[in-house]
Amino acid sequence: MAANFVSSILARAAAQPQQTLLAWPAAAGPARTYTGHDLAQRVAGYRQALAGQGVRPGQRVLLLLPVGFELICALLAVLAQGGAAVLPPAGVSAGGLLRLVRRGRVAVAIGPRPLRGPLGWLVRGLGPKWLAASRLPAGPFPLQPPQLVPPGQAALISHSSGSTGPPKQVVRSHQVLLAQHAVLKQIFPPRAGQRDFPLFPNVLLHNLSAGIASVLPALSWADLPGLDPARLVRQLAAEQVHTLTGNVFYFQRLLPALRAWPGGFPAVAGLGVGGSPVPERLLRDLQQVFAGAAVHAIYGSSEAEPIAVRQFTAGAPADPRGGYRVGPVQPSLACRLLPCGELLLPGPLRAAVGEITVRGPHVATAAADGWLRTGDFGYFDAAGELWLTGRQGNAALHQGVQHYQLEHVLQHLPGIGRVAARAAVGGFVVYFEGPATEAAIRQVLAAQFPPGLVTAIHRRPRLPVDQRHHSKIRYDQLR
């Protein structure tokens, strides 16, 4: 049966032309708002330009626009035209882009301005046509229904965070995007007049599908570490946001400014933290700041978002020695572990640990049997909830312990910033940021883990992290 993920988005935009769907921050002054009419017209303009370039269903279009309204409209237009939108990896180099063009069968590339100079000659020499967003006419344009395509046809091609090596290409079909939207709608039902503050692109697409207004954070997606916490907190309060999402790095940077804001945030009803394992301490701190909100830890991967969601309960915190508790696996997914050993847990208890694999409607995988190997390791507790204990490339057990267990415990020690435990011969080597002392670290470890588990401890000015979330440790780069 033919389908197109953007059908509901464009139908809603046409039916409610005056509804504000997006509020994008300006460099100064109030945010620029975009209505359903604005969205539908700009998408129609991009579709006309794509048709003029001969883009046919199934062809790939590389999007080289900065994160903003133009990127969203271009992406929706590519999907509506039946094409597959290709997003480059975070922090990709010029050479990486050229390799992506050459190997990715890109028919058209869309950038902000006309392409000139040696790079322009090289890109054109590799085959794709170039479409400059600044050259699109203003309209008005006739609105056309989206091109119907097979549900399994590629719609969105993005890349993983690259925390265990080079970023992997992730191909989401129309049916995967539709299924992901359905799962998010079930877990987090939309509310009338809802205003969301999304950091994750998949949440923004979900909001457009559900008719939820998205207030975009005032930051540069190309430079997340450069965010201004005070500005973001002022924006969060002024815009009367009801829900928000973000990664661990983002919320840890915001916490001091959130705590200092007078009057709190009574409008906020819910928030979600994901992108990497979420420390119990961060969930507790966010619950204190947003006292009236439901605080969730969200676990997923680039290919399967979400896999599990857990609502934090202040009266029943998870023991960090057990790893990261992420909650029950979504009912629409099948989940199994590929066993690799036995864990020693608080109690002392023992549990079979293995690589987490999932299969289901919102899982993007090229495997013939439909199973996705996530590269994450964990176990199920007696209540059937999933815990994370390790990551591919660093999953070796020592004395029944994996590295996430050590890291999660140490994240609760004052004076510790980022921390990593890398499996080595005979035990773990710990790396950390912050003013904590080696003696304090060894005292905590001795009280909670078997003796001799950690062979060395090193302080570093900065630990290597992924370029997208700035939250996942690059264990292969630890020195």
Side-chain angles (χ1 to χ4, degrees):
M1 180 178 179
N4 194 307
F5 170 71
V6 302
S7 294
S8 61
I9 296 176
L10 296 184
R12 186 181 296 275
Q16 299 174 303
Q18 301 309 313
Q19 179 184 354
T20 296
L21 296 179
L22 296 165
W24 221 287
R32 169 77 184 274
T33 59
Y34 299 93
T35 64
H37 171 79
D38 298 329
L39 184 77
Q41 277 296 302
R42 197 57 175 166
V43 170
Y46 273 106
R47 283 195 71 183
Q48 180 173 292
L50 290 168
Q53 296 282 15
V55 173
R56 303 183 306 277
Q59 288 189 313
R60 297 185 176 190
V61 178
L62 178 62
L63 301 181
L64 298 176
L65 297 165
V67 176
F69 181 67
E70 293 297 321
L71 174 63
I72 297 302
C73 293
L75 189 155
L76 296 178
V78 172
L79 270 60
Q81 192 68 11
V86 181
L87 299 175
V92 66
S93 64
L97 278 179
L98 293 175
R99 287 191 294 273
L100 182 61
V101 168
R102 186 172 65 249
R103 299 172 184 171
R105 307 188 305 278
V106 171
V108 174
I110 303 179
R113 294 171 295 278
L115 194 58
R116 299 186 176 92
L119 182 61
W121 303 332
L122 189 54
V123 169
R124 282 188 289 269
L126 290 173
K129 300 175 182 178
W130 183 263
L131 180 60
S134 62
R135 294 291 180 88
L136 264 64
F141 302 99
L143 302 183
Q144 299 178 356
Q147 175 76 43
L148 295 181
V149 296
Q153 180 172 300
L156 179 60
I157 301 170
S158 59
H159 293 80
S160 65
S161 61
S163 61
T164 57
K168 301 187 299 292
Q169 197 170 81
V170 180
V171 181
R172 296 177 179 88
S173 66
H174 286 267
Q175 64 187 4
V176 165
L177 291 176
L178 288 165
Q180 183 182 66
H181 167 60
V183 169
L184 290 173
K185 193 173 181 179
Q186 181 181 28
I187 301 171
F188 306 110
R191 51 186 284 183
Q194 182 176 348
R195 293 169 66 79
D196 187 54
F197 203 60
L199 186 69
F200 300 129
N202 64 309
V203 176
L204 177 54
L205 288 178
H206 163 71
N207 287 349
L208 289 171
S209 297
I212 298 170
S214 295
V215 179
L216 280 301
L219 53 77
S220 168
W221 268 259
D223 181 25
L224 187 60
L227 65 84
D228 180 350
R231 182 185 182 192
L232 284 170
V233 171
R234 288 195 302 270
Q235 183 190 13
L236 181 64
E239 293 285 357
Q240 289 293 292
V241 167
H242 303 119
T243 50
L244 65 158
T245 52
N247 58 40
V248 170
F249 171 82
Y250 175 76
F251 279 118
Q252 286 177 334
R253 284 289 304 276
L254 292 185
L255 258 177
L258 289 169
R259 285 171 167 152
W261 186 258
F265 304 88
V268 174
L271 64 91
V273 192
S276 66
V278 184
E280 200 73 5
R281 180 178 179 176
L282 177 61
L283 295 172
R284 181 200 66 198
D285 291 344
L286 290 172
Q287 185 69 83
Q288 291 172 352
V289 169
F290 300 101
V295 176
H296 298 88
I298 302 172
Y299 165 59
S301 69
S302 298
E303 300 89 346
E305 301 171 302
I307 293 173
V309 177
R310 170 197 165 211
Q311 182 172 343
F312 174 78
T313 305
D319 190 335
R321 290 179 297 169
Y324 297 93
R325 179 181 164 202
V326 296
V329 172
Q330 288 305 301
S332 60
L333 294 179
C335 180
R336 66 186 184 189
L337 305 180
L338 302 181
C340 68
E342 188 176 57
L343 283 178
L344 175 65
L345 300 172
L349 302 173
R350 293 191 175 272
V353 64
E355 184 178 0
I356 300 164
T357 66
V358 292
R359 182 172 66 180
H362 69 278
V363 175
T365 176
D369 60 3
W371 285 97
L372 171 72
R373 297 183 60 162
T374 64
D376 296 316
F377 288 74
Y379 65 95
F380 287 99
D381 64 16
E385 294 199 17
L386 184 63
W387 294 64
L388 305 181
T389 53
R391 181 66 186 150
Q392 178 184 344
N394 193 35
L397 281 84
H398 287 294
Q399 302 186 58
V401 175
Q402 281 188 311
H403 67 101
Y404 278 168
Q405 296 171 267
L406 294 168
E407 293 168 6
H408 198 187
V409 166
L410 291 177
Q411 283 172 343
H412 291 75
L413 177 64
I416 289 281
R418 290 191 178 103
V419 61
R422 189 175 67 187
V425 176
F428 293 95
V429 177
V430 169
Y431 300 81
F432 73 99
E433 300 174 3
T437 65
E438 180 176 341
I441 291 173
R442 289 198 178 276
Q443 183 177 6
V444 169
L445 295 175
Q448 304 206 44
F449 294 101
L453 192 61
V454 171
T455 60
I457 298 174
H458 304 291
R459 179 188 284 111
R460 295 288 183 260
R462 182 173 299 174
L463 299 188
V465 293
D466 70 289
Q467 291 297 303
R468 187 172 71 178
H469 296 296
H470 298 274
S471 303
K472 298 179 180 180
I473 300 292
R474 290 295 306 267
Y475 295 96
D476 60 324
Q477 296 181 7
L478 287 170
R479 300 290 185 269

